[in-house]
Amino acid sequence: MMTISLEKKLWLPDGQPPGNTITKTVKSPERLCLYRAEWYDETLAFFNEFDTLVLRQGFYVVLDFSDLKELTAAASLMLFAKVTRCQCCVPKVFAYPGAVVSYILPEDKAVRDVFRKSGLWAAIKPGGESKLDRLWNDINNPYKTGNDPSSQMGAIIEQLLKQVGKLPRKIVSALQESYLNIAHHAYEGFKGGPVPLHEFMVGRWWQFVKWNPKANRLSLVLYDMGVGIPDSIRPISHAVEQKVSDCASIALAMKSGVTRFKIQGRGRGFNDIKSPIDANPSAEYLLVFSGNGLVVYRSGKKVEEKLHGFSIGGTLIEWTFSGVGK
């Protein structure tokens, strides 16, 4: 068992963090995975537990991954997002906010190497916004977060081109539309709420690029913690149906001509977001998690939907392609 802690100067002699001296350990399930229904709920429960302990109850946390056997792409991105939100949005009770999360790494060497070699550790290690800014200087790290697509889009495309070479058709326009929708609209529903939106979270998105050069397989995963598609499109969907599930709301957003946002010049709905799947023979699928719903889209048709017990806490989109690249 290997424990990753902070620099010694951040810890008291008895091993307790400074400030609030109470630390809670949260044990990870054996699999952190959003793709399989049997693992989805316990994955979300784990994320929600440590998120609540830090941001609502004011505890330091140790995330115990010792029994972890599998960490999949979308779950690793959510881990990055949840941890960095804790590190950058903690209450003032914490003397060292960047030290709010520490880790026990997996005993399984292959899974431990996922943390060390994939760029994940550099993304979730103790630190705050300056650590996240440094990720932009590491073109080889596939984990990125930002809130200014106009200035950051160039770096994203540069990274993709360096890693993958030739990109799937229309993926750049799909990413641009997704970033702009997040920046302009995803967090609008929180304005005027009882708890002000933290400055760090305004327009915030997280991204992970998984590239397997041996298989020529590419996955791009994008996550935001906004209000989600169902809550933003329900005013439109209610004109069609009296009661609409989260899956039905996502499916409605995917229909041609339906836009999530009623603002002139903004919001092309899912036309741009779906287009890489329709335009590339190499496309495998588009996954859209939002609210409690999941919709899977392949080549012009919705092929699967699933209503889960836990909300994704925003929207997560994944495009996956095979047989692409250099």
Side-chain angles (χ1 to χ4, degrees):
M1 180 181 297
M2 178 176 294
T3 302
I4 300 293
S5 62
L6 312 177
E7 296 179 13
K8 291 182 180 179
K9 66 181 180 180
L10 297 183
W11 295 83
L12 299 178
D14 64 355
Q16 292 292 338
N20 181 346
T21 59
I22 302 176
T23 300
K24 297 282 189 178
T25 298
V26 184
K27 194 168 184 62
S28 163
E30 289 190 359
R31 288 175 172 81
L32 290 174
C33 177
L34 302 175
Y35 307 129
R36 298 281 294 272
E38 61 265 37
W39 300 329
Y40 176 96
D41 283 357
E42 64 180 4
T43 296
L44 265 292
F46 169 71
F47 292 148
N48 291 343
E49 182 178 1
F50 76 75
D51 188 76
T52 298
L53 285 170
V54 173
L55 295 178
R56 296 188 181 181
Q57 299 178 15
F59 293 107
Y60 286 80
V61 295
V62 177
L63 303 186
D64 182 356
F65 295 109
S66 56
D67 293 337
L68 186 64
K69 305 299 182 187
E70 183 177 12
L71 176 63
T72 58
S76 77
L77 177 63
M78 279 202 70
L79 175 63
F80 170 44
K82 295 290 187 179
V83 165
T84 52
R85 181 170 73 159
C86 287
Q87 291 168 336
C88 296
C89 300
V90 290
K92 292 181 180 180
V93 66
F94 294 94
Y96 296 98
V100 71
V101 182
S102 56
Y103 310 87
I104 300 172
L105 289 186
E107 294 182 356
D108 185 295
K109 182 181 182 301
V111 185
R112 192 163 65 244
D113 284 346
V114 171
F115 283 77
R116 290 172 163 173
K117 298 179 180 180
S118 69
L120 179 59
W121 174 245
I124 66 171
K125 68 181 182 180
E129 292 189 54
S130 59
K131 172 196 69 174
L132 300 178
D133 291 340
R134 288 193 295 272
L135 292 179
W136 287 101
N137 298 324
D138 183 358
I139 197 170
N140 295 312
N141 193 308
Y143 294 91
K144 297 286 188 286
T145 180
N147 59 3
D148 184 7
S150 61
S151 65
Q152 294 161 338
M153 191 68 200
I156 293 167
I157 296 172
E158 181 183 3
Q159 178 191 22
L160 286 171
L161 289 172
K162 181 176 180 181
Q163 289 183 323
V164 182
K166 187 178 180 181
L167 299 178
R169 293 182 62 226
K170 300 193 175 183
I171 190 62
V172 171
S173 62
L175 287 170
Q176 287 175 324
E177 181 65 18
S178 298
Y179 295 132
L180 289 172
N181 279 342
I182 293 169
H184 289 280
H185 307 292
Y187 296 90
E188 286 294 307
F190 295 122
K191 289 186 177 179
V195 179
L197 187 66
H198 193 285
E199 182 181 2
F200 173 78
M201 293 298 295
V202 176
R204 178 65 52 178
W205 50 263
W206 293 262
Q207 176 185 286
F208 173 53
V209 178
K210 184 175 183 181
W211 168 238
N212 184 336
K214 293 182 179 179
N216 286 338
R217 194 167 191 264
L218 172 68
S219 292
L220 297 99
V221 195
L222 184 63
Y223 179 55
D224 72 74
M225 296 191 202
V227 297
I229 294 168
D231 282 350
S232 59
I233 202 171
R234 275 199 181 102
I236 301 171
S237 62
H238 281 170
V240 182
E241 302 177 60
Q242 291 299 311
K243 188 174 182 181
V244 181
S245 71
D246 285 2
C247 291
S249 294
I250 298 169
L252 180 61
M254 288 182 164
K255 291 182 179 178
S256 178
V258 175
T259 179
R260 180 180 169 191
F261 313 111
K262 300 176 179 178
I263 300 176
Q264 185 175 5
R266 293 288 330 127
R268 291 171 52 86
F270 268 76
N271 288 337
D272 281 346
I273 294 171
K274 290 189 306 182
S275 60
I277 305 301
D278 296 330
N280 293 277
S282 63
E284 292 188 20
Y285 53 77
L286 166 69
L287 303 179
V288 181
F289 295 86
S290 198
N292 290 58
L294 163 64
V295 170
V296 184
Y297 178 84
R298 301 179 196 264
S299 297
K301 61 180 180 179
K302 177 188 73 175
V303 296
E304 179 186 341
E305 63 179 46
K306 174 69 178 177
L307 196 62
H308 291 108
F310 284 83
S311 170
I312 200 79
T315 298
L316 186 146
I317 298 175
E318 177 177 331
W319 299 264
T320 293
F321 308 86
S322 58
V324 298
K326 302 173 182 178

